[in-house]
Amino acid sequence: MGISLTYDEKIAILDLGDDENRFSPTFLDEIDSQLDEVVGAGAHGLVTTGGGKFYSNGLDLDWLGAHGDRAQWYVGRVQSMLARVLTLPVPTAAAVVGHAFGAGAMLALAHDFRVMRADRGYFCFPEADIRIPFTPGMAALIQAKLTPQAAIASMTTGRRFGGGDAASLGLVDAVAAEGAVTAAAVDILRPLEGKDPGTLGAIKQTMFGQAVRALRTD
């Protein structure tokens, strides 16, 4: 199953799919199209979720390996998507139903809130172990959302955080049982329905201006 969009009343639920949900160019195009739909429809909130073992495994390394000459273009596309989610003019929550690795964990962090499954799944930035340094934009995104202590603990170690540890460090805001993660994310957004999108978008642009500039200029 690919990307799909449904609604719980006025809150949009974007299911990233039931595989590793890696960021292929086609995946990025579909995300952009669905975000257009969410904003255009006047949704009161957005929850992203997944249907399988992974929330997202991040960069599509197979595609990147086969298209090395387009690496700069590809990273720019990924970072543009992250910047868009970071500043989306509606309240957002990531329902981290499975593993979130690398750029997949960055996508979760780009949301306003995160709920993670309590009993299974890891939140991890493996860059230190796979010898891929963070770009300035990706580092700026992570550091805009985490305390210095959490940034050091997650960015320099490659550690895999389970739900409880991720919550205690502030990588996620809450944990929930299997089958209840997406509903818990929706519940976080429910009291925020009806925020003016122009105002909310402007607030996020100001809050995260430095990270957005870094993401869009790498």
Side-chain angles (χ1 to χ4, degrees), residues 86 102 105-106 108-112 114 123-125 134 138-156 161 165-173 208 211:
L86 185 64
M106 294 174 207
L109 273 187
H111 292 67
D112 300 332
R114 284 153 297 288
F123 190 105
C124 176
F125 296 121
F134 296 95
M138 291 175 175
L141 164 63
I142 297 167
Q143 290 175 274
K145 287 301 187 85
L146 300 181
T147 65
Q149 293 89 341
I152 289 289
S154 59
M155 294 176 72
T156 68
F161 295 90
D165 287 343
S168 66
L169 198 60
L171 302 176
V172 301
D173 300 281
F208 304 119

Coordinates of all heavy atoms in Angstrom, one line a residue, residues 86 102 105-106 108-112 114 123-125 134 138-156 161 165-173 208 211:
L86 N 7.9 21.3 8.7 CA 8.3 22.1 9.8 C 7.5 23.4 10.0 O 7.2 23.8 11.1 CB 9.8 22.5 9.7 CG 10.5 23.2 10.9 CD1 10.5 22.4 12.1 CD2 11.9 23.6 10.5
G102 N 17.2 7.9 10.8 CA 17.8 8.9 9.9 C 16.8 10.0 9.5 O 16.2 10.7 10.4
A105 N 13.5 9.9 11.1 CA 13.4 10.5 12.4 C 13.3 12.0 12.3 O 12.6 12.7 13.0 CB 14.5 10.0 13.3
M106 N 14.0 12.5 11.3 CA 14.0 14.0 11.1 C 12.6 14.4 10.6 O 12.1 15.5 11.1 CB 15.0 14.4 10.0 CG 16.4 14.2 10.4 SD 17.6 14.6 9.1 CE 18.9 13.5 9.5
A108 N 9.8 13.0 11.5 CA 9.0 13.0 12.8 C 9.3 14.3 13.6 O 8.4 14.9 14.1 CB 9.3 11.8 13.6
L109 N 10.6 14.7 13.7 CA 10.9 15.9 14.5 C 10.4 17.1 13.8 O 10.2 18.1 14.5 CB 12.4 16.0 14.6 CG 13.1 15.3 15.7 CD1 14.6 15.7 15.8 CD2 12.5 15.6 17.1
A110 N 10.2 17.1 12.5 CA 9.7 18.3 11.8 C 8.2 18.6 12.2 O 7.8 19.7 12.0 CB 9.8 18.2 10.3
H111 N 7.5 17.6 12.8 CA 6.2 17.9 13.2 C 6.2 18.6 14.6 O 7.2 18.7 15.3 CB 5.4 16.5 13.4 CG 5.2 15.8 12.2 ND1 6.2 15.2 11.4 CD2 4.0 15.4 11.5 CE1 5.7 14.6 10.3 NE2 4.3 14.7 10.4
D112 N 5.0 19.2 14.9 CA 4.9 19.9 16.2 C 5.0 19.0 17.3 O 5.5 19.3 18.4 CB 3.5 20.7 16.2 CG 3.4 21.7 15.1 OD1 4.4 22.2 14.6 OD2 2.2 22.0 14.7
R114 N 5.0 14.5 18.7 CA 5.3 13.1 18.3 C 4.8 12.2 19.3 O 5.0 12.4 20.6 CB 6.9 12.9 18.2 CG 7.5 13.5 16.9 CD 8.9 13.8 17.1 NE 9.1 14.9 18.1 CZ 8.8 16.1 17.9 NH1 8.3 16.5 16.8 NH2 9.0 17.0 18.9
F123 N 13.8 5.0 17.6 CA 14.0 6.3 17.1 C 15.5 6.5 17.1 O 16.1 6.4 18.1 CB 13.3 7.3 18.0 CG 13.3 8.8 17.4 CD1 12.1 9.3 17.0 CD2 14.4 9.5 17.4 CE1 12.1 10.6 16.5 CE2 14.4 10.8 16.9 CZ 13.2 11.4 16.5
C124 N 16.1 6.7 15.9 CA 17.5 6.6 15.8 C 18.1 7.5 14.7 O 17.6 7.6 13.6 CB 18.0 5.2 15.5 SG 19.7 4.9 15.3
F125 N 19.2 8.2 15.0 CA 20.0 8.9 14.0 C 21.3 8.1 13.9 O 22.2 8.2 14.7 CB 20.3 10.3 14.4 CG 19.1 11.2 14.5 CD1 18.8 11.9 15.7 CD2 18.3 11.5 13.4 CE1 17.7 12.7 15.8 CE2 17.2 12.3 13.5 CZ 16.9 12.9 14.7
F134 N 25.8 14.8 9.2 CA 24.6 15.6 9.0 C 24.9 16.8 8.1 O 26.0 17.4 8.3 CB 24.0 16.1 10.3 CG 23.5 15.0 11.3 CD1 24.4 14.5 12.2 CD2 22.3 14.5 11.2 CE1 24.0 13.5 13.1 CE2 21.8 13.5 12.0 CZ 22.7 13.0 13.0
M138 N 20.0 19.6 8.1 CA 19.5 18.6 8.9 C 19.9 18.8 10.4 O 19.1 18.6 11.3 CB 20.0 17.2 8.4 CG 19.4 16.8 7.1 SD 20.1 15.3 6.4 CE 19.0 15.1 4.9
A139 N 21.1 19.2 10.6 CA 21.6 19.5 12.0 C 20.8 20.6 12.6 O 20.3 20.6 13.7 CB 23.1 19.8 12.0
A140 N 20.5 21.6 11.8 CA 19.7 22.8 12.2 C 18.3 22.4 12.6 O 17.8 22.9 13.6 CB 19.7 23.9 11.2
L141 N 17.7 21.5 11.8 CA 16.4 21.0 12.1 C 16.3 20.3 13.5 O 15.5 20.6 14.3 CB 15.9 20.1 11.0 CG 14.7 19.2 11.3 CD1 13.4 20.1 11.6 CD2 14.4 18.2 10.2
I142 N 17.3 19.4 13.6 CA 17.3 18.6 14.9 C 17.5 19.5 16.1 O 16.8 19.4 17.1 CB 18.4 17.5 14.8 CG1 18.0 16.5 13.6 CG2 18.5 16.7 16.1 CD1 19.2 15.6 13.3
Q143 N 18.5 20.4 15.9 CA 18.9 21.2 17.1 C 17.8 22.3 17.4 O 17.7 22.8 18.5 CB 20.2 21.9 16.8 CG 21.3 20.8 16.9 CD 22.7 21.4 16.5 OE1 23.1 21.5 15.4 NE2 23.4 21.8 17.5
A144 N 16.9 22.6 16.4 CA 15.8 23.5 16.6 C 14.8 22.9 17.5 O 14.0 23.6 18.1 CB 15.2 24.0 15.3
K145 N 14.7 21.5 17.5 CA 13.7 20.8 18.2 C 14.1 20.2 19.5 O 13.2 19.8 20.4 CB 13.1 19.8 17.3 CG 12.2 20.3 16.2 CD 11.0 21.1 16.7 CE 10.0 21.5 15.7 NZ 9.1 20.5 15.3
L146 N 15.4 20.0 19.7 CA 15.9 19.2 20.9 C 16.7 20.1 21.8 O 17.3 21.1 21.4 CB 16.7 18.0 20.4 CG 16.0 17.0 19.5 CD1 17.0 15.9 19.2 CD2 14.8 16.4 20.2
T147 N 16.8 19.7 23.1 CA 17.7 20.3 24.0 C 19.1 20.0 23.6 O 19.3 19.0 22.9 CB 17.5 19.8 25.4 OG1 17.8 18.4 25.5 CG2 16.1 20.1 25.9
P148 N 20.1 20.8 24.0 CA 21.5 20.4 23.6 C 21.9 19.0 24.1 O 22.6 18.3 23.4 CB 22.3 21.5 24.3 CG 21.4 22.7 24.4 CD 20.0 22.1 24.6
Q149 N 21.4 18.6 25.3 CA 21.7 17.3 25.8 C 21.1 16.2 24.9 O 21.8 15.2 24.6 CB 21.2 17.2 27.2 CG 21.9 18.1 28.3 CD 21.2 19.4 28.4 OE1 20.5 19.9 27.5 NE2 21.5 20.1 29.5
A150 N 19.9 16.4 24.5 CA 19.2 15.4 23.7 C 19.9 15.4 22.3 O 20.0 14.3 21.7 CB 17.7 15.7 23.5
A151 N 20.3 16.5 21.8 CA 20.9 16.5 20.5 C 22.3 15.8 20.5 O 22.6 15.0 19.6 CB 21.2 18.0 20.0
I152 N 23.1 16.0 21.6 CA 24.3 15.3 21.7 C 24.0 13.8 21.8 O 24.7 12.9 21.2 CB 25.1 15.8 22.9 CG1 25.7 17.2 22.7 CG2 26.2 14.8 23.3 CD1 26.8 17.2 21.7
A153 N 23.1 13.4 22.7 CA 22.8 12.0 23.0 C 22.3 11.3 21.7 O 22.6 10.1 21.5 CB 21.7 11.9 24.1
S154 N 21.6 12.0 20.8 CA 21.0 11.3 19.7 C 21.8 11.5 18.4 O 21.9 10.5 17.6 CB 19.6 11.8 19.4 OG 19.6 13.2 19.2
M155 N 22.5 12.6 18.2 CA 23.2 12.8 17.0 C 24.6 12.3 17.0 O 25.2 11.9 15.9 CB 23.3 14.4 16.7 CG 22.0 15.0 16.5 SD 22.2 16.8 16.3 CE 23.0 17.0 14.7
T156 N 25.3 12.1 18.1 CA 26.7 11.7 18.1 C 26.9 10.2 18.5 O 28.0 9.7 18.5 CB 27.5 12.5 19.1 OG1 27.1 12.3 20.5 CG2 27.3 14.0 18.8
F161 N 16.8 4.5 20.4 CA 15.9 4.8 21.5 C 14.6 4.1 21.4 O 13.9 4.3 20.4 CB 15.7 6.3 21.7 CG 16.9 7.1 22.0 CD1 17.7 7.6 20.9 CD2 17.3 7.3 23.3 CE1 18.9 8.3 21.2 CE2 18.5 8.1 23.6 CZ 19.3 8.6 22.5
D165 N 12.5 5.6 26.5 CA 13.7 6.4 26.5 C 13.6 7.7 25.6 O 14.1 8.8 26.0 CB 14.9 5.6 26.1 CG 15.4 4.6 27.1 OD1 15.0 4.7 28.3 OD2 16.1 3.6 26.7
A166 N 13.0 7.5 24.5 CA 12.8 8.7 23.6 C 11.9 9.7 24.3 O 12.2 10.9 24.1 CB 12.1 8.2 22.3
A167 N 10.9 9.3 25.0 CA 10.0 10.3 25.7 C 10.8 10.9 26.9 O 10.7 12.2 27.1 CB 8.8 9.6 26.2
S168 N 11.6 10.2 27.6 CA 12.3 10.8 28.7 C 13.3 11.8 28.3 O 13.6 12.8 29.0 CB 13.0 9.7 29.6 OG 14.0 9.1 28.8
L169 N 13.9 11.6 27.1 CA 14.9 12.6 26.5 C 14.2 13.7 25.8 O 14.9 14.7 25.5 CB 15.8 11.8 25.6 CG 17.2 12.5 25.3 CD1 18.0 12.7 26.6 CD2 18.0 11.6 24.3
G170 N 12.9 13.6 25.5 CA 12.2 14.7 24.7 C 12.3 14.5 23.2 O 11.9 15.4 22.5
L171 N 12.7 13.3 22.8 CA 12.7 13.1 21.3 C 11.2 13.0 20.9 O 10.9 13.3 19.7 CB 13.4 11.8 21.0 CG 14.9 11.7 21.4 CD1 15.5 10.4 21.0 CD2 15.7 12.8 20.7
V172 N 10.4 12.4 21.7 CA 8.9 12.3 21.5 C 8.2 12.9 22.7 O 8.8 13.0 23.8 CB 8.5 10.9 21.1 CG1 9.2 10.3 19.9 CG2 8.7 10.0 22.3
D173 N 6.9 13.3 22.5 CA 6.2 13.9 23.5 C 5.4 12.9 24.4 O 5.0 13.2 25.5 CB 5.2 14.9 22.9 CG 5.9 16.0 22.1 OD1 6.4 16.9 22.8 OD2 6.0 15.9 20.9
F208 N 11.3 28.9 13.4 CA 12.2 27.9 12.8 C 12.9 28.6 11.6 O 13.4 27.8 10.7 CB 11.5 26.6 12.4 CG 10.8 26.0 13.5 CD1 9.4 25.8 13.5 CD2 11.5 25.6 14.7 CE1 8.8 25.2 14.6 CE2 10.8 25.0 15.8 CZ 9.5 24.8 15.7
A211 N 16.5 27.3 10.8 CA 16.5 25.9 10.3 C 16.0 25.9 8.9 O 16.6 25.1 8.1 CB 15.7 25.0 11.2

